[in-house]
Structure formats: C-alpha cells, structure tokens
C-alpha cells in the first residue's frame, strides 16, 4: 500500500471471459499459458494488439489458425467503446469512453502539424479537490486499470486512423518509435504521438496502474512510444514524485503549481496542506533529470487570484530552482466555478516576466474549449450540464 489514497481498480464485476485488449506483456503471456501455449506468445499478442492494432482475432496472421479459433471462442478483444465524440473548431476531438462498469472518462485527440497529442484520464473523478477544477469537484470514484488507460490510446488512434495509417517499420522511423499517426496518402509523413496525463484524475495517485500502462505503451513490440513523449502531470504528490524519480524508465514530469504562496495555493489546492511549496521545490530539486530534460511547471491563471505581477515574480523564482519550463494556462471557465479567466494583457505581461527571467515559457491555449474538452473541464457522470454542441464537423 503506497498511499492511503491508493484506491483499487474494480475487480468485482469483471466479466468471466478474459479480455486481451490493453493487457501487458506479462498478462498476455499468462493468458497464452492458460491456453496451453508457451508464454512467449504473449509478445505476439502484444504486437498484434498494439503494433498492428488488429481488432479481430481473425486478423492475427502471426498465430496459427487453430489458435485464432481458440482465442475467438475463449477470449474477448474489446477496447473501451467511444460512446461520444465531439469535434472542436480547432481540430481537436473530445471522446467519451464507456468503461466496463458503466462509468465514463474522457480523452482528447489533438492533431498538430508535426505530432498528435492525446490527453488521457487516469481516474474516474479525482480526490484532490482543487477548487478551480471541474473534475476535482466530482470527487474520486475509482482508479482506471492499466488496460483502461492503454485502451484510451488505442481507441483514439483507431478512431482517427486513416486507411494509410499503418505502423511503420523501425527503419522508416528516424526516431525509432512506431506509434505514428497521420493523414496518410502516398508519401505522407507520419507524425509521432505524444501522451499527456492531463485529463481526469491525479495520475500519481494511481501509480501502479499508471506505470503498468506506461510499460505497455512503451514496449518495443507494441506502440513503442518513447518515454520522453509521455508526460505525467501531478498536483504535487511528493511521495509519488519521489517514487517516479527512483525509476530507471519513466515518463516526464509536469507539476501543476497554480499558486505562488502557501496561503494562496492551499486555498485552491488542498494537497498543498500536506506538501507545501518548499517541500515541492525540494522534491523537484532532487528529481533526477536526464540531460536536456526539464520539468514542466503548469500554472493556471485565475483572474485576481493567481495572476498578479507579484505571482509572476514568485513563479519565476520557484521555477529557477531546477531545470524547468513554464506553461501558463488561462483558466477555462466552467459552470459554477466562481473563477474567471485572466485579461489577455496580463497573460502577455506574465509571459514576458518569465522569459525575462530566462525561463522557457509558453501559453497553453487549451484546445477543445468549445466542447468542454480542455484541461480541467473534464467531468462526467451527470455532474455538469452537457457540453455545448460542437461548432464544426470533421
Ligand atoms: N491531476 C493532474 C492532471 C490533470 S489536471 C494535475 O492536476 O496536474 C491537468 C491540468 O489542468 C493541471 O495543470 C490543472 O491545474 C489544469 N486545470 C484544471 N482545471 C482547469 C481549468 N478549469 N482551466 C485551466 N486549467 C485547469
Ligand atoms: Fe485533480 Fe488535477 Fe483537477 Fe486537481 S487539477 S482536482 S489534481 S484533476
């Protein structure tokens, strides 16, 4: 038990038939062994499921016909269902995933010219209770399992796949990873996939399932997403940050700072009452970084609450204590939050203040704002009004 908050993912209510979708290499090996096959065949399953992204057992041409028939009769292959998709005017699409127990989580597909970024959920709801965050207001319902986390990735890649969007061979891929995505067409360039755990939930609060999913997502025989293309955003669980820092293979770290004094931060982020700013700065200072790696400091700008020029000065001082880059996030308003977005001029002024302090800084214009898919607006289970209709269709 690593933390009093480590809620189990549901075991009860699981279907009696195993579901191979999203299982890791080890579990797939066990599944093969249970069918009387050598466990190394788990790797073949992993490759078919994640590298090829086959969705029917009959497609598994790397297995014998008789084994395919046994899988067909004994094992499910069911990725989380996308129950609702809302394209936004900016090209991103918010997807709602239906889980086995009827719960729902959300993810966002964000295509850019040179990459695709998928924003993923790690929990149904969130226990951290940040006052500006819609997900925080719904409380924690449960952790996602590793297959549910991996499933969001595969379901979104499959949903947006072009017929030409096929995994490329390692030779074709200068960066050595295969999870690519692109508009396809002859000679079309495939773009790499980035994953950010910035959807629903506190990922470090679901550490074991998160890292099991990380292993599958980065597995060379699967999607082979490079660890540096996966970012985990935390509200500041120092115990989880230390645990992550101790791993040889790990995703990158982003910290949601969102306040520059203990008084202000504790008011909007209750976790600050457990680990305050000094404890956080020390944890980030001892976090072992690779060469060139920086910790992302996310900072939500709440008008009149976190966006003063004094805040800018303190934010710069905090971020200069270790290799960092700063992401300013103008608040995305949601019903009943009681907070307002900052003035544009203030966003610009803060941005300049940080770059004058020699910090790499960017302003995150949250995508999917018009369909409530932007950071901090992800809330499910009837806790908020239905998002507005999308403005555009794909
Ligand atoms: N729980 C993790 C990751 C999910 S929240 C965390 O807090 O870091 C992802 C990001 O969205 C965080 O930086 C959070 O501060 C930000 N966020 C939450 N609600 C927001 C809102 N209404 N507007 C803008 N950003 C918000
Ligand atoms: Fe949870 Fe992150 Fe929202 Fe805070 S900001 S309530 S940690 S999802």
């Amino acid at each position: 038990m690593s933390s009093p908050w480590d809620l189990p993912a549901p075991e009860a209510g699981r279907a009696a038939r195993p579901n191979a979708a999203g299982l890791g290499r080890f579990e797939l090996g066990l599944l093969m062994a249970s069918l009387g096959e050598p466990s190394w065949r788990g790797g073949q399953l992993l490759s078919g499921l994640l590298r090829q992204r086959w969705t029917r057992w009959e497609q598994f041409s790397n297995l014998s016909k008789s084994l395919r028939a046994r899988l067909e009769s004994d094992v499910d292959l069911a990725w989380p269902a996308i129950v609702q998709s809302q394209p936004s005017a900016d090209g991103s699409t918010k997807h709602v995933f239906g889980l086995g127990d009827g719960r729902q989580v959300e993810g966002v597909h964000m295509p850019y010219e040179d990459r695709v970024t998928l924003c993923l959920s790690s929990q149904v709801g969130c226990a951290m209770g940040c006052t500006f965050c819609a997900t925080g207001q719904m409380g924690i319902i449960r952790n996602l399992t590793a297959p549910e986390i991996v499933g969001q990735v595969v379901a979104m890649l499959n949903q947006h796949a072009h017929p030409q969007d096929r995994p490329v061979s390692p030779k074709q891929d200068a960066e050595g990873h295969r999870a690519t995505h692109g508009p396809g067409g002859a000679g079309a360039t495939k773009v790499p996939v980035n994953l950010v755990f910035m959807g629903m939930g506190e990922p470090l609060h679901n550490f074991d399932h998160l890292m099991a999913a990380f292993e599958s997502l980065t597995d060379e025989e699967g999607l082979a997403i490079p660890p540096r293309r996966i970012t985990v955003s935390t509200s500041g669980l120092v115990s989880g940050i230390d645990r992550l820092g101790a791993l040889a293979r790990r995703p990158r770290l982003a910290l949601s700072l969102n306040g520059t004094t203990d008084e202000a931060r504790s008011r909007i982020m209750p976790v600050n009452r457990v680990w305050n700013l000094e404890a956080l700065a020390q944890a980030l200072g001892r976090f072992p970084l690779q060469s060139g790696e920086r910790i992302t400091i996310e900072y939500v700008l709440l008008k009149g609450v976190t966006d003063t020029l004094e805040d800018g000065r303190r934010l710069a001082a905090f971020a200069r204590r270790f290799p960092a880059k700063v992401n300013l996030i103008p608040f995305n308003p949601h019903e009943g939050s009681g907070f307002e977005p900052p003035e544009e001029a203030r966003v610009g002024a803060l941005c300049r203040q940080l770059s004058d302090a020699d910090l790499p800084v960017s302003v995150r214009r949250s995508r999917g704002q018009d369909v409530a898919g932007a950071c901090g607006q992800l809330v499910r289970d009837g806790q908020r009004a239905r998002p507005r209709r999308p403005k555009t269709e794909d």
Side-chain angles (χ1 to χ4, degrees):
M1 190 85 176
S2 54
S3 107
W5 299 310
D6 254 347
L7 302 180
E11 293 299 332
R14 288 236 177 107
R17 266 167 73 91
N19 180 9
L23 292 182
R25 174 188 286 273
F26 179 73
E27 290 80 9
L28 291 169
L30 292 179
L31 186 65
M32 283 282 120
S34 76
L35 297 176
E37 295 288 328
S39 57
W40 57 261
R41 286 204 190 281
Q44 292 179 306
L45 286 188
L46 189 82
S47 163
L49 289 165
L50 295 185
R51 190 196 288 195
Q52 308 296 341
R53 300 210 303 272
W54 286 324
T55 52
R56 298 186 313 280
W57 289 123
E58 65 188 21
Q59 294 171 298
F60 281 64
S61 51
N62 57 349
L63 303 175
S64 70
K65 262 197 161 164
S66 61
L67 183 50
R68 279 184 257 168
R70 286 200 63 198
L71 287 163
E72 183 71 52
S73 77
D74 294 352
V75 181
D76 284 337
L77 201 178
W79 292 109
I82 292 183
V83 296
Q84 199 184 343
S85 296
Q86 291 182 289
S88 162
D90 64 13
S92 62
T93 308
K94 186 190 77 173
H95 296 289
V96 180
F97 302 97
L99 307 175
D101 61 352
R103 301 287 183 190
Q104 295 183 335
V105 288
E106 298 179 350
V108 187
H109 176 273
M110 295 172 279
Y112 298 86
E113 222 159 82
D114 60 344
R115 66 191 188 280
V116 163
T117 299
L118 305 179
C119 178
L120 306 174
S121 291
S122 55
Q123 298 181 308
V124 185
C126 182
M128 308 312 291
C130 305
T131 57
F132 54 86
C133 172
T135 307
Q137 299 313 298
M138 69 188 271
I140 179 71
I141 294 175
R142 70 167 173 88
N143 280 335
L144 293 187
T145 62
E148 286 169 338
I149 294 171
V150 174
Q152 295 170 64
V153 177
V154 174
M156 282 196 269
L157 290 179
N158 285 345
Q159 175 91 1
H160 292 270
H162 185 277
Q164 300 278 340
D165 174 22
R166 284 284 167 267
V168 292
S169 78
K171 263 196 203 140
Q172 285 171 275
D173 181 357
E175 287 198 281
H177 58 92
R178 303 185 194 93
T180 55
H181 180 287
T189 346
K190 309 289 186 205
V191 295
V193 174
N194 286 349
L195 305 179
V196 295
F197 284 89
M198 296 180 185
M200 295 171 84
E202 165 54 56
L204 295 186
H205 193 171
N206 186 15
F207 199 95
D208 294 341
H209 299 117
L210 174 82
M211 290 313 298
F214 172 83
E215 289 307 324
S216 295
L217 293 164
T218 57
D219 195 301
E220 277 299 309
E221 279 193 74
L223 290 168
I225 297 175
R228 67 189 159 74
R229 289 197 173 273
I230 303 179
T231 301
V232 164
S233 170
T234 179
S235 57
L237 267 71
V238 167
S239 55
I241 294 172
D242 284 339
R243 242 181 120 185
L244 195 67
L247 299 176
R249 286 180 82 250
R250 56 160 177 82
R252 297 221 159 168
L253 181 65
L255 169 81
S256 299
L257 188 66
N258 303 347
T260 62
T261 65
D262 279 325
E263 204 255 317
R265 191 166 191 268
S266 292
R267 217 170 332 124
I268 56 172
M269 299 185 76
V271 66
N272 197 70
R273 298 171 206 159
V274 182
W275 290 288
N276 65 13
L277 288 171
E278 185 52 33
L280 264 183
Q282 286 183 18
L284 299 183
R286 65 178 171 259
F287 192 79
L289 297 174
Q290 284 162 2
S291 119
E293 182 181 357
R294 288 173 184 269
I295 295 170
T296 303
I297 303 292
E298 299 165 274
Y299 192 86
V300 177
L301 297 169
L302 306 168
K303 185 179 178 180
V305 181
T306 64
D307 72 342
T308 66
L309 296 178
E310 272 301 287
D311 282 316
R313 196 183 50 75
R314 286 188 294 255
L315 169 56
F318 184 93
R320 282 171 61 96
R321 291 178 65 175
F322 36 82
K325 56 183 174 184
V326 179
N327 242 312
L328 295 176
I329 315 174
F331 175 64
N332 296 312
H334 52 91
E335 227 171 82
S337 75
F339 294 104
E340 285 173 53
E343 306 282 351
E344 272 306 306
R346 180 53 60 89
V347 178
L350 288 165
C351 199
R352 277 191 300 280
Q353 222 178 353
L354 290 159
S355 58
D356 286 351
D358 283 335
L359 283 159
V361 55
S362 56
V363 177
R364 194 196 303 158
R365 300 284 164 202
S366 295
R367 294 191 134 210
Q369 209 154 346
D370 60 322
V371 292
C375 300
Q377 290 179 303
L378 301 182
V379 63
R380 279 279 109 201
D381 299 317
Q383 306 272 328
R384 76 187 291 280
R386 281 171 71 87
R388 292 212 315 263
R389 278 178 62 77
K391 285 180 189 150
T392 56
E393 301 292 332
D394 263 353

